[in-house]
Amino acid sequence: MDSGKLKKELGVSTATTIVVGSVIGAGVFFKPYAIYNATGGAPGMGFIAWILGGLMSILGALTFAEIAVLIPKTGGMVAYLSDVYDKRLGFLAGWMQMIIFYPAFLAGYGVKVGSELSEYLGAKWATPIGILVIICVCALNIIGTKTASKVQVVSTVCKLLPLFLIMIVGLIMGSSTEPLFTPMVGAGVSSGSALGATLLAVLFAFEGWTNVGAIAGEMKNPGKDLPLAIVGGVSIIMAVYLLINVAYIKVIPANELMNIESPAAAVAVKLFGNAGGTIIRVGIIISVIGAANGFLMSGSRVAYSLAANGDLPCSEKLAQVNEGGAPANAIILVGFLACIYSLSGKFDLLTDVAVFSCWIFYSMTFATVIKMRKDHPEMERKYKVPLYPIVPIVAIVSGLYVCLSFAMSSTGLAIASIIVTLTGLPVYMAVNKKKA
């Protein structure tokens, strides 16, 4: 028996649940605030954005899956860009994830827990609590992978419970008759700028679909079942997101939600009273901590992978694994950056920068499918993206639209993100010159 190979045991239903579990996170609890701010308190463009964000995620995942099955290497996007384009570009993707994407997400989650608890302890405690959350999550991960995995299981339950309680009770008990798709935007708000801002917020909530490629090697029939799992999984997520936003609007109108940073908690108080709302808020906080835990686990593995290849300064230290099986130094690095970013205290700013930074490389990864089809038509493809080349092209154009929208509305942040990403080039050159 070959223990080094993964067993092909996953069917459509199991793969679909993996997709759903990987994506549903904290965004749906908090992003309505940013969405209805961007629309000027109008619900229409917000609901359009949830639908378009879901479709973009489906097209992106369908495209991403082809290159993931074709190049089944550890490292994901880093490996794909390195193999298809250039090792330096692959390194920059990993550098961006290590320096910006994962630390910014982790910091954003810490900030959100801090702001939630500051409701009870006072505003001055928001930042210290956020940093403390990050440190505690790092400590749990350093203890060992098994401990971090247990945190993930508990937080998943705490994530789904408030989600479905608010959704079901809100749809039944909500009394608001506000239209869902009108008006599209508030007075004086540009539809184009509102769409770009809302999509950025929505894509944060859909983040996680890139994990679909990782399960392809364990599927019985990836060519047939993987697209079904992707479309089915993301469609379920999109339906859940739409329904819970309908529940929000039925309880609190959009022009009020735009002023509430924790819309899910506010809706919970309306539905269940102060005591019930507090219980729901606790569940939400635990789910956010779980999301932070998941992003730290992933981010530290990116740092570990780059270090294991000898591409980082102090690679020997960062590639060390402790007795608990955890890359402790890589965890500390990502956690340290997250603590610095959390000093901004801006959840939406942190997550928007992270989404912008990553979608630049997602768009490049979508393009690898077209390049590989052209350069290597002879390679066996167990899975092919449907409706080629339409799906990859639409995925690329959608990704570029989101990135350009952010660059136009937040030019300074976009330039700063790109500069920080490009600092990886001299690091890569210096380390590889030393190796040579």
Side-chain angles (χ1 to χ4, degrees):
M1 177 178 166
D2 186 358
S3 61
K5 291 186 177 180
L6 296 170
K7 294 181 180 180
K8 296 183 179 293
E9 296 178 338
L10 298 183
V12 175
S13 58
T14 306
T16 301
T17 58
I18 291 172
V19 172
V20 173
S22 298
V23 173
I24 292 180
V28 72
F29 295 126
F30 301 109
K31 279 301 179 179
Y33 165 73
I35 289 169
Y36 297 124
N37 246 300
T39 64
M45 187 63 77
F47 278 94
I48 294 295
W50 283 111
I51 294 169
L52 288 179
L55 292 175
M56 284 177 64
S57 299
I58 289 174
L59 296 178
L62 287 171
T63 306
F64 207 89
E66 178 170 324
I67 199 71
V69 175
L70 194 64
I71 307 176
K73 290 185 177 179
T74 303
M77 186 166 61
V78 176
Y80 313 148
L81 294 174
S82 294
D83 280 18
V84 178
Y85 295 120
D86 185 271
K87 287 185 177 180
R88 286 168 295 186
L89 184 59
F91 174 81
L92 281 183
W95 178 261
M96 176 277 302
Q97 289 179 311
M98 182 184 76
I99 297 294
I100 300 176
F101 182 74
Y102 286 111
F105 263 68
L106 179 57
Y109 288 134
V111 165
K112 188 46 69 176
V113 174
S115 67
E116 289 293 294
L117 291 177
S118 68
E119 295 279 334
Y120 305 99
L121 301 174
K124 66 179 181 179
W125 293 103
T127 300
I129 290 170
I131 293 173
L132 182 62
V133 167
I134 294 167
I135 293 171
C136 289
V137 171
C138 288
L140 287 170
N141 274 262
I142 289 170
I143 291 170
T145 303
K146 286 185 179 180
T147 304
S149 300
K150 289 176 182 176
V151 171
Q152 209 60 33
V153 172
V154 173
S155 68
T156 299
V157 175
C158 291
K159 168 177 66 181
L160 297 177
L161 193 59
L163 182 70
F164 286 108
L165 275 174
I166 292 172
M167 184 169 66
I168 294 168
V169 179
L171 290 172
I172 295 170
M173 302 292 290
S175 57
S176 173
T177 56
E178 181 182 12
L180 299 179
F181 288 93
T182 55
M184 291 295 289
V185 294
V189 176
S190 163
S191 295
S193 61
L195 179 60
T198 52
L199 276 177
L200 206 66
V202 165
L203 289 173
F204 164 76
F206 277 99
E207 187 58 47
W209 53 261
T210 52
N211 296 328
V212 297
I215 63 176
E218 299 173 72
M219 297 189 72
K220 298 172 186 175
N221 186 356
K224 177 185 175 183
D225 294 346
L226 189 57
L228 292 175
I230 292 169
V231 174
V234 179
S235 297
I236 290 170
I237 295 160
M238 185 161 49
V240 169
Y241 284 176
L242 284 170
L243 284 173
I244 195 169
N245 275 275
V246 172
Y248 289 158
I249 297 293
K250 281 178 72 68
V251 177
I252 300 176
N255 61 356
E256 292 181 31
L257 285 174
M258 69 177 286
N259 299 313
I260 302 172
E261 291 193 25
S262 301
V267 169
V269 170
K270 286 262 189 180
L271 292 173
F272 308 110
N274 288 329
T278 299
I279 293 171
I280 295 294
R281 175 170 263 168
V282 169
I284 293 171
I285 288 171
I286 295 172
S287 75
V288 173
I289 292 172
N293 180 72
F295 272 87
L296 177 60
M297 287 180 72
S298 300
S300 59
R301 269 61 181 180
V302 170
Y304 167 80
S305 179
L306 293 175
N309 290 332
D311 290 333
L312 294 175
C314 306
S315 284
E316 288 184 9
K317 293 285 185 183
L318 291 171
Q320 287 178 357
V321 176
N322 65 16
E323 293 179 359
N329 292 328
I331 290 168
I332 291 169
L333 172 62
V334 175
F336 173 73
L337 290 171
C339 286
I340 293 174
Y341 295 165
S342 69
L343 294 174
S344 70
K346 303 290 185 182
F347 171 72
D348 289 315
L349 181 148
L350 289 165
T351 52
D352 285 354
V353 169
V355 171
F356 163 76
S357 302
C358 217
W359 268 83
I360 293 173
F361 289 94
Y362 286 167
S363 301
M364 292 180 190
T365 307
F366 301 152
T368 62
V369 173
I370 297 174
K371 182 170 174 56
M372 289 298 284
R373 288 279 190 111
K374 181 182 177 181
D375 295 350
H376 298 284
E378 78 288 350
M379 292 182 72
E380 181 188 1
R381 287 167 172 81
K382 295 179 181 179
Y383 162 79
K384 291 184 177 181
V385 59
L387 300 176
Y388 178 87
I390 296 172
V391 170
I393 289 173
V394 175
I396 293 167
V397 171
S398 300
L400 292 176
Y401 173 78
V402 170
C403 294
L404 286 172
S405 295
F406 180 78
M408 290 174 67
S409 63
S410 304
T411 307
L413 288 173
I415 291 172
S417 168
I418 292 169
I419 290 173
V420 171
T421 299
L422 291 176
T423 58
L425 278 177
V427 172
Y428 179 85
M429 293 169 66
V431 171
N432 277 272
K433 184 178 180 181
K434 187 177 179 181
K435 283 197 294 185

